[in-house]
């Protein structure tokens, strides 16, 4: 039974916090504060005393919070002061957020009103409709049953953050619970006009982001939880994976085939079978006798190699990683001190306790031999953590907790030093959703430490709010079926709206047999998703780009070539995500928040502001209907113009899918390459799609694509504008190359307007250019 907190009396200010207490039992406190000007925090404590133990911030020494957090990346001190607001004003800003808090003997709940027009987005990786209003589900990471689908209640990565959007006025706001245990979310399911989030324990911490646009909410949310650092450019290319390529010889064949058959590809991935009986950080030396040689050959072909590492560590007293972990007490234990064990690929395993920085440091350093051999990046899987002897085979229920670590494992975190950087020891039940993220963090920080001059690239399956600081995410084990192309779109858009911009799905589908048509349509979906990797489970027919012959092979190639042409545009979007938290793959409402129809579109997405991609997701379909928001749109393939503000049917022969360019936009592109850094982008083509009497502006972002020098400002910006006024067409280019000089001879400027195409080439490097066409 929950008791609503009422009759709060103001107790005073403590540091930055304004504290209220309940007048009668149970005694609780609500402490609120304003961070920056658009972020508020309120925490409910089941206590009559303010817990003012001040731990250091999870991500390092800089900054402190009034408690320990895995999710939050920024200490209170790092928010610039909002000025000296008078106490009465701060109290009046916070007071509306003091309503809706309730307490039960072992749980705490926050309930927020849902406006009649409000839709609910975000909430991490979830199947089903994009708008979560009317649904109830747990926030609890699991490895779902094989063949997850719309009814699956929870997946590998859950994020206790939602964005509410009222479509009638286009206003957005956000709510985050800073909680890594289970959160029971009810978005207007039991009470149509209220959203509630319930946690167990003695403290409930919520952040509120005031918007008012979806972009503002993302900016505010990622200012708190962190943003994706720029990944290496090659990670934005097309990747080829398989469970599993089984030998060095096979890797060589796949890479060579990619090149011979002109399928652009930047990386080949090694799944679990490269190891010695699934022992992490080892090789099966009979099938991979000379990894260094294999990798140097790949590098010579412009390919990278990514290897998988799972947390499950084989119990084997002759295995060095196990020995070290036992010797130094690095593995997870129950409260009574017993080791937690579970079965994964290697058989019986123990699991590193990534809550401790000493364990993360150890794990991070274990990557050294792989890096020395030339491996470029890491893939962390099964890190919910999944324990396969407990895998769920039935449709999981809302109660599903089964196939993972036990609730009563005690993560040691700061151990004897709870006020140190790791915080106090925590039961798995309160830490669970952070396990995968902290594994990815150990990997990311390890790679950064071992190769301080290169940008790490880590792919993770599990994570929670803040995982974007360490890794990209893919949506796990989908199925080779049409429904999964459709399912991918709302899922990945919501992940992007939960702060994780670098996201993708297994192209071709993981479980089951793909076929030529399905593979092509999957590739057309993946071609413009942030992460673009073909992956397939063991035992299925092959699904590499050439596997089904013509016309499928050519259609696959041409989808991926489109991605490579647009790489300058995508790269700039990655930078935007890294600097402002904006998703790369965006729901239509992101740019059209007041458009009711756009708000309901789940089967198409924007790539940045200028491209709208509407993949085909029905067998045999050669056309589909697409909603184009207000304005004029150009067909990417034909250049035909269409008025927006309604639905239209567009043709989509196998080698194409409906793809549109917003009028009054500038799209940078380059020639097709076989890997992203094959040549400098030469010429850089700037295609302006213009309405008559229109103005377009764009800033292209470039840097060296691999080092961290961009963080010191080593980047180039090129401002471009295009103005069309009756018959006068002017393009201006202004280069800002002081800190980084892209190697470029020429710009090719193309302007489409009023049925005409104008074109001119201009020499690069002149600083500022005014071009009349
Ligand atoms: C998990 C992963 C999948 C991988 C397999 C074997 O099912 O999600 O991508 O291929 O494990 O490692």
């Amino acid at each position: 039974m929950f008791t609503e907190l009422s009759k709060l009396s103001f107790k005073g200010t403590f540091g930055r916090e304004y504290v209220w207490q309940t007048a009668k039992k149970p005694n609780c406190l609500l402490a609120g504060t304003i961070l920056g000007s658009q972020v508020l925090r309120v925490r409910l404590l089941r206590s009559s005393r303010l817990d003012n133990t001040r731990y250091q911030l999870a991500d390092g020494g800089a900054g402190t919070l009034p408690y320990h957090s895995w999710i939050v990346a920024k200490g209170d001190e790092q928010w610039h002061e909002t000025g000296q607001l008078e106490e009465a004003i701060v109290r009046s800003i916070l007071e509306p957020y003091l309503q809706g808090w309730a307490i039960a003997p072992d749980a705490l709940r926050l309930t927020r009103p849902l406006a009649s027009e409000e839709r609910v987005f975000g909430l991490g990786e979830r199947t089903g409709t994009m708008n979560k209003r009317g649904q109830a589900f747990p926030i609890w990471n699991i490895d779902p049953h094989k063949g997850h689908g719309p009814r699956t209640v929870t997946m590998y990565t859950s994020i206790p953050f939602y964005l509410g959007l009222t479509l009638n006025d286009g206003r957005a706001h956000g709510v985050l619970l800073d909680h890594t245990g289970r959160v029971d979310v009810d978005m207007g399911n039991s009470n149509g006009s209220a959203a509630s989030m319930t946690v167990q324990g003695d403290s409930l911490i919520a952040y509120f982001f005031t918007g008012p646009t979806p972009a503002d909410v993302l900016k505010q949310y990622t200012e708190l939880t962190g943003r994706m650092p720029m990944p290496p450019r090659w990670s934005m290319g097309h990747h080829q994976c398989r469970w599993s390529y089984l030998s060095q010889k096979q890797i060589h064949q796949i890479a060579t085939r990619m090149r011979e058959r002109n399928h652009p590809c930047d990386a080949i991935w090694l799944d679990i079978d490269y190891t010695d009986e699934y022992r992490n950080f080892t090789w099966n030396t009979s099938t991979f006798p000379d990894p260094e040689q294999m990798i140097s050959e790949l590098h010579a072909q412009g390919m990278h190699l990514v290897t998988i590492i799972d947390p499950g560590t084989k119990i084997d007293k002759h295995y060095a990683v196990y020995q070290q972990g036992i010797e130094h007490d690095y593995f997870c234990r129950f409260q009574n001190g017993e080791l937690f064990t579970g079965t994964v690929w290697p058989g019986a395993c123990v699991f590193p306790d990534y809550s401790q920085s000493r364990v993360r440091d150890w794990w991070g350093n274990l990557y050294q031999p792989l890096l020395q051999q030339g491996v470029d990046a890491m893939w962390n899987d099964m890190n919910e953590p999944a324990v396969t002897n407990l895998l769920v085979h039935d449709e999981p229920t809302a109660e599903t907790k089964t196939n993972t670590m036990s609730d009563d494992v005690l993560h040691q975190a700061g151990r004897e030093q709870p006020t140190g950087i790791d915080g106090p020891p925590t039961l798995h039940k309160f830490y669970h959703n952070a396990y995968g993220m902290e594994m990815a963090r150990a990997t990311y920080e390890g790679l950064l430490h071992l190769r301080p001059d290169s940008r790490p690239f880590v792919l993770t399956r599990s994570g929670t709010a803040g995982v974007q600081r360490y890794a990209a995410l893919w949506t796990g084990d989908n199925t080779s079926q049409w429904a999964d192309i459709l399912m991918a779109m709302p899922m990945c858009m919501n992940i992007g709206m939960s702060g994780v911009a670098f996201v993708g799905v297994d192209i071709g589908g993981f479980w089951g047999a793909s076929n030529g048509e399905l593979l092509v349509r999957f590739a057309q979906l993946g071609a413009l998703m942030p992460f673009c990797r073909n992956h397939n489970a063991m035992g299925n027919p092959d699904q590499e780009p050439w596997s089904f012959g013509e016309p499928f092979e050519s259609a696959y190639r041409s989808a991926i070539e489109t991605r490579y042409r647009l790489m300058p545009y995508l790269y700039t979007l990655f930078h935007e995500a890294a600097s402002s938290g904006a998703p790369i793959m965006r729901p239509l409402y992101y740019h059209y928040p007041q458009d009711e129809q756009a708000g309901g579109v789940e089967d198409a997405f924007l790539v940045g502001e200028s491209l709208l991609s509407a993949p085909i997701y029905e067998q045999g379909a050669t056309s589909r209907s697409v909603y184009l928001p207000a304005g004029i749109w150009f067909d990417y393939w034909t250049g035909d113009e269409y008025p927006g503000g309604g639905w239209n049917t567009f043709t989509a022969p196998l080698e194409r899918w409906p793809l549109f360019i917003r009028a009054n936009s500038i799209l940078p592109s380059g020639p097709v390459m076989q890997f992203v850094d094959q040549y400098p982008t030469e010429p850089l083509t700037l295609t302006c799609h213009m309405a008559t009497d229109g103005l377009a502006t764009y800033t292209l972002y470039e840097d060296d694509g691999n080092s961290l020098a961009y963080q010191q400002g080593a980047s180039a910006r090129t401002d471009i504008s295009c103005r069309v006024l009756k018959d006068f067409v002017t393009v201006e280019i202004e280069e800002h190359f002081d800190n980084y000089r892209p190697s470029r001879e020429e710009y090719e400027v193309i302007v489409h307007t009023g049925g005409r195409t104008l074109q001119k080439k201009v020499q690069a490097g002149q600083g500022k250019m005014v071009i009349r066409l």
Side-chain angles (χ1 to χ4, degrees), residues 478-479 481 485 506-509 518-526:
N478 61 356
T479 302
Q481 61 187 10
I485 297 187
D506 283 351
I507 290 176
L518 182 69
L519 179 67
V520 166
R521 296 309 195 184
F522 248 118
Q524 293 171 347
L525 164 81

Side-chain angles (χ1 to χ4, degrees), residues 230-231 233 236 455 567-576 578-579 668 684 698-705 707-720 736-737 740 742 744:
M230 273 307 271
R233 183 161 37 228
M236 302 168 200
R455 301 175 195 175
M567 199 50 73
Y569 180 66
L570 287 176
Y571 197 75
T572 300
L573 283 174
F574 270 84
H575 182 253
E576 195 183 330
S579 45
L684 180 80
Y698 179 74
T699 299
L700 175 75
Y701 174 85
E702 292 164 287
D703 61 28
D704 69 23
S707 82
L708 299 168
Y710 78 97
Q711 291 175 346
Q712 267 64 58
S715 59
R717 273 157 222 274
T718 312
D719 296 324
I720 307 132
H736 304 278
F737 293 170
Y740 172 76
R744 168 145 75 237

Side-chain angles (χ1 to χ4, degrees), residues 572-753:
T572 300
L573 283 174
F574 270 84
H575 182 253
E576 195 183 330
S579 45
S580 76
I584 295 165
M585 174 182 184
R586 300 175 184 169
L588 271 58
Y589 70 74
Y590 190 86
H591 288 295
Y592 304 90
Q594 274 168 290
D595 179 338
E596 289 238 8
Q597 303 255 18
V601 172
E602 310 204 343
D603 64 353
F605 56 94
L606 295 166
V607 185
E609 200 175 349
S610 307
L611 283 178
L612 189 154
S613 178
I616 296 290
Y617 52 89
E618 276 170 15
Q619 182 173 9
T622 50
S623 68
R624 61 160 281 186
S625 91
V626 179
Y627 178 75
L628 296 176
I632 295 170
W633 294 82
F634 289 78
D635 185 307
Y636 180 85
W637 314 104
T638 62
D640 293 345
E641 286 182 43
Y642 295 95
W647 296 83
N648 243 315
T649 298
F650 297 95
T651 55
L654 185 74
E655 66 285 1
R656 293 210 307 251
W657 72 101
L659 179 60
F660 302 91
I661 306 167
R662 192 177 56 87
N664 298 331
S665 67
I666 299 169
L667 207 56
S669 63
V672 172
M673 299 184 202
Q674 296 308 299
F675 52 99
V676 293
D677 288 322
Q678 189 176 14
Y679 314 109
T681 303
E682 189 67 67
L684 180 80
T685 304
L686 301 169
T687 311
C688 313
H689 288 87
M690 304 300 297
T692 38
D693 296 352
L695 169 69
T697 57
Y698 179 74
T699 299
L700 175 75
Y701 174 85
E702 292 164 287
D703 61 28
D704 69 23
N706 191 54
S707 82
L708 299 168
Y710 78 97
Q711 291 175 346
Q712 267 64 58
S715 59
R717 273 157 222 274
T718 312
D719 296 324
I720 307 132
S721 68
C722 177
R723 192 182 295 272
V724 175
L725 198 61
K726 309 243 173 324
D727 282 343
F728 298 98
V729 178
T730 313
V731 173
E732 285 190 32
I733 302 176
E734 196 173 318
E735 302 166 330
H736 304 278
F737 293 170
D738 304 336
N739 300 317
Y740 172 76
R741 198 171 184 82
S743 128
R744 168 145 75 237
E745 302 280 316
E746 210 169 52
Y747 295 97
E748 179 184 38
V749 179
I750 302 175
V751 181
H752 297 290
T753 182

Side-chain angles (χ1 to χ4, degrees), residues 370-392:
L370 288 171
L371 294 195
Q372 264 166 3
Q373 285 165 320
V375 176
D376 295 284
M378 298 297 159
W379 171 20
N380 286 164
D381 188 24
M382 307 295 277
N383 51 349
E384 295 72 27
V387 182
T388 51
N389 54 329
L390 302 175
L391 272 189
V392 273

Side-chain angles (χ1 to χ4, degrees), residues 243 271-272 308 310 345 379 381-382 461 474 476-477 506 510 533 535:
W243 177 23
D271 206 326
I272 46 177
I308 196 169
D310 292 351
W345 312 123
W379 171 20
D381 188 24
M382 307 295 277
R461 191 170 76 172
W474 100 108
D477 302 346
D506 283 351
F510 180 74
R533 184 187 72 158
H535 182 37

